[in-house]
Amino acid sequence: MDGFEVGRDGLRAVGGRLLLVADDLRSVRGTWDTATVNGGVAFGTADCGSAYDDLQQHLFHLLDRRLRHWALLASSAVDSAAEYDLAEDAGRREFDRERP
């Protein structure tokens, strides 16, 4: 086998799917936050309500971290495809320039 081939279209497709996951997580986060904005007040004691709010904020923090991670992966996949395109174009220009 001589060299290797990177499937740039595949990288772009993966990037698009990862962006969809990030968008889905963002939607879930927003819907959840809106639906439970005052969720802690539903509990019978202030301590229970406060514990619920703390738990929810912790979960939101984790979800936000995952969302940023998925968005970074998506961006990296798309950027990688673009870098391969640039490298191939530069190689093609150099090859064309050296031909008699």
Side-chain angles (χ1 to χ4, degrees), residues 4 9 15 22-23 31 34 37 49 52 55 57-58 64 68 75 80 84 93 97-98:
F4 62 93
D9 291 338
D23 289 344
T31 301
T34 301
V37 69
Y52 172 83
L55 173 64
Q57 287 310 309
H58 176 70
D64 288 340
R68 285 191 302 272
S75 177
S80 293
Y84 276 107
R93 283 192 304 274
R97 191 172 61 157
E98 290 181 5

Side-chain angles (χ1 to χ4, degrees), residues 38-57:
N38 293 317
V41 300
F43 290 89
T45 67
D47 287 342
C48 287
S50 179
Y52 172 83
D53 289 339
D54 290 346
L55 173 64
Q56 181 167 293
Q57 287 310 309

Side-chain angles (χ1 to χ4, degrees), residues 93-100:
R93 283 192 304 274
E94 188 64 26
F95 179 75
D96 289 345
R97 191 172 61 157
E98 290 181 5
R99 279 203 256 167

Side-chain angles (χ1 to χ4, degrees), residues 15-93:
R17 283 188 224 110
L18 290 169
L19 280 175
L20 288 175
V21 170
D23 289 344
D24 286 348
L25 286 174
R26 194 173 292 109
S27 176
V28 166
R29 167 64 164 88
T31 301
W32 183 0
D33 194 28
T34 301
T36 61
V37 69
N38 293 317
V41 300
F43 290 89
T45 67
D47 287 342
C48 287
S50 179
Y52 172 83
D53 289 339
D54 290 346
L55 173 64
Q56 181 167 293
Q57 287 310 309
H58 176 70
L59 293 174
F60 283 170
H61 173 73
L62 292 176
L63 190 56
D64 288 340
R65 283 180 50 197
R66 297 298 185 271
L67 197 156
R68 285 191 302 272
H69 180 72
W70 283 102
L72 180 62
L73 287 173
S75 177
S76 294
V78 172
D79 290 349
S80 293
E83 290 297 323
Y84 276 107
D85 287 341
L86 289 173
E88 188 161 303
D89 290 346
R92 188 177 299 115
R93 283 192 304 274

